[in-house]
Amino acid sequence: IPEPSMNSKKPHIDPYATARQHVARNSCYEIDYDGIRSRLHFSILGYWKNHDSVPDYLTDWDKALQLVSSEFTLLVDMRTMITHPQQLNSLHEESQRKMKAAGLNRIAYVMPKDKIASLQVADIIKRAEVPIHHFKTFEAAQQWLDKPMA
């Protein structure tokens, strides 16, 4: 894949983006699979009122995890997330358990712009059992995941 020119006025376009397979898309989240990188992309969109807002959440993760190979990575984009009710934390924790069982290698989080949501995410991250790093930008998160682990 050619390197983008430093003089280019075009925005950076991820050359792998076209290889992504949409697993789930709705008003609350998107899950895509990048088979070239063996990576799931998960975007949390806005505010989730309750479990009824995301009725297929765990089923969608089951579908996504059918596509991955062992040692896959996860990029979570939470820039537009608004604080979720505490009762939804159990959904996130259950999806993380499923991912770990499927061979999740590491997670990069792009943190929410909302300060309260950032604190909520930090609390969930503490309980994860895989290497995690959080970033301010999508590009930095992608670069970290692209580097082989030492």
Side-chain angles (χ1 to χ4, degrees):
I1 294 174
E3 289 294 317
S5 167
M6 296 302 282
N7 298 328
S8 174
K9 297 212 185 300
K10 295 179 185 169
H12 170 72
I13 295 173
D14 181 354
Y16 294 102
T18 56
R20 284 194 209 143
Q21 176 179 342
H22 303 308
V23 177
R25 291 204 161 192
N26 57 50
S27 61
C28 293
Y29 61 87
E30 297 176 355
I31 303 173
D32 294 339
Y33 176 63
D34 175 344
I36 294 170
R37 288 178 165 141
S38 189
R39 177 168 306 147
L40 288 169
H41 291 255
F42 175 47
S43 298
I44 296 178
L45 310 172
Y47 177 70
W48 300 5
K49 185 176 181 182
N50 54 37
H51 285 86
D52 293 339
S53 303
V54 289
D56 300 320
Y57 183 72
L58 293 175
T59 306
D60 287 340
W61 275 112
D62 289 339
K63 283 190 251 176
L65 294 174
Q66 296 290 317
L67 302 171
V68 300
S69 55
S70 184
E71 299 294 306
F72 73 97
T73 57
L74 172 66
L75 198 159
V76 184
D77 184 353
M78 297 180 289
R79 291 174 289 186
T80 64
M81 176 185 168
I82 308 291
T83 307
H84 293 169
Q86 291 293 329
Q87 78 239 27
L88 290 171
N89 286 358
S90 62
L91 276 179
H92 294 297
E93 290 165 6
E94 177 61 23
S95 66
Q96 281 190 358
R97 278 191 290 276
K98 289 174 178 270
M99 288 180 235
K100 187 169 192 275
L104 178 61
N105 178 277
R106 57 190 164 148
I107 306 172
Y109 282 96
V110 183
M111 296 300 281
K113 291 184 172 127
D114 180 87
K115 297 288 185 223
I116 307 283
S118 285
L119 294 172
Q120 183 178 29
V121 168
D123 188 50
I124 293 170
I125 287 174
K126 280 187 227 168
R127 293 192 286 273
E129 298 174 11
V130 296
I132 292 176
H133 199 70
H134 53 86
F135 300 88
K136 290 184 177 167
T137 68
F138 185 85
E139 293 76 18
Q142 186 94 283
Q143 287 172 359
W144 181 72
L145 288 174
D146 287 344
K147 288 181 186 168
M149 290 203 46

